[in-house]
Amino acid sequence: MSLTVKQITDIGAKQLEAQGIADARRDSEALYCFMVGIPESKLFTEYQYTLQEVLCEKYFDLIDRRASGEPLQYIVGNTEFMGLPFKVTGDVLIPRQDTETLVEDALTVMESGTLRREPVIEPKKTWDVLDLGTGSGAIGISLVKYAPEIGVKINMTISDISKDALIIAKENAKINGVEKSIKVVEGDLFAPFGGILGTKKFDMIISNPPYIPRDIIGTLQREVKDHEPSLALDGGEDGLDIYRRIAESLPNHLKKDGVVMLEIGHDQRDAVARILADTDMFSIIRAHQDLAHRDRILFAAR
């Protein structure tokens, strides 16, 4: 069997579409470009090339993986977040564009002390930041990468309970040239930050924690429920377990003028705000929306 690149990507797109894959055409072309190691912008120059049988078989193996629901990002092994490259495997959650809103807001807070154009804190030049439950490292790495552009210094700590996730996060820090600027810590939430020498406190604690209610996970897209790590999805019976655990430890780990920034589910604004309010720590608690106008970010200032 020999087919041109145009023919084979057309067949791949039809196979993916038949299995209900969104963006079937894009994925079929992206898999070909991944297979032969060319940028997607160069695909049109290859349409008339004829592929020999061995390459056709390799391509359709990739199509079969995508048709089964395996995310494109896991197949090709990388994705983009905040314009930066990140390695991803089944050990880490795939960074979403929604989370870019969290990073952009955090950078604004650190740069100017404002959030969505409203003053929230006194600006400072140096920040001790904890990216809690870092996964791929996308949040913490992006903050450190863009810190020079906003004129602040970030002492970044990224932590996760998953050793396998931290392996990926370390690789991503190196890929983005910030490995010397980030401290990597393994442990369950704040467990690594207490001890006989006192507890470690931060100016900013930022997190995209697991927040999917347990009985909802089975209803998610197969790309998510069957392939992304349940540890990064499962927020307990009501999706709020990790928020409660974070709030319990904030008095010991947030500086007196510190801030907390959390990603939340679109229907969790009031519940998470109450959890933070019950700590009696915060003078400001407010929610902000993502680009799709859904509640996505919860900000609190001590």
Side-chain angles (χ1 to χ4, degrees), residues 276-293:
L276 294 181
D278 286 345
T279 66
D280 294 323
M281 290 177 57
F282 300 105
S283 58
I284 298 174
I285 299 175
R286 61 176 59 165
H288 292 282
Q289 297 180 329
D290 59 21
L291 295 176
H293 305 293

Side-chain angles (χ1 to χ4, degrees), residues 244-301:
R244 294 188 184 97
R245 293 184 58 202
I246 290 173
E248 287 173 1
S249 297
L250 287 178
N252 294 326
H253 296 285
L254 189 66
K255 293 183 182 180
K256 64 180 182 179
D257 57 351
V259 300
V260 177
M261 300 190 70
L262 303 172
E263 181 166 330
I264 59 173
H266 68 91
D267 57 352
Q268 294 175 325
R269 178 192 64 193
D270 294 341
V272 179
R274 281 195 299 271
I275 289 170
L276 294 181
D278 286 345
T279 66
D280 294 323
M281 290 177 57
F282 300 105
S283 58
I284 298 174
I285 299 175
R286 61 176 59 165
H288 292 282
Q289 297 180 329
D290 59 21
L291 295 176
H293 305 293
R294 296 170 297 194
D295 290 325
R296 186 62 58 189
I297 310 301
L298 204 69
F299 170 89

Side-chain angles (χ1 to χ4, degrees), residues 147-162:
E149 296 186 12
I150 62 171
V152 302
K153 173 179 172 56
I154 298 178
N155 301 315
M156 176 62 68
T157 301
I158 63 176
S159 71
D160 206 288
I161 193 174
S162 168

Side-chain angles (χ1 to χ4, degrees), residues 178-198:
V178 296
E179 69 273 20
K180 295 181 179 179
S181 302
I182 292 177
K183 181 179 181 180
V184 180
V185 176
E186 181 185 348
D188 185 10
L189 294 182
F190 293 100
F193 304 109
I196 59 175
L197 299 180

Side-chain angles (χ1 to χ4, degrees), residues 89 91-92 134-135 159-171 184-188 231:
T89 71
D91 294 314
V92 298
T134 190
S159 71
D160 206 288
I161 193 174
S162 168
K163 181 180 295 185
D164 292 330
L166 290 178
I167 291 172
I168 302 301
K170 289 177 183 178
E171 291 186 47
V184 180
V185 176
E186 181 185 348
D188 185 10
L231 190 64

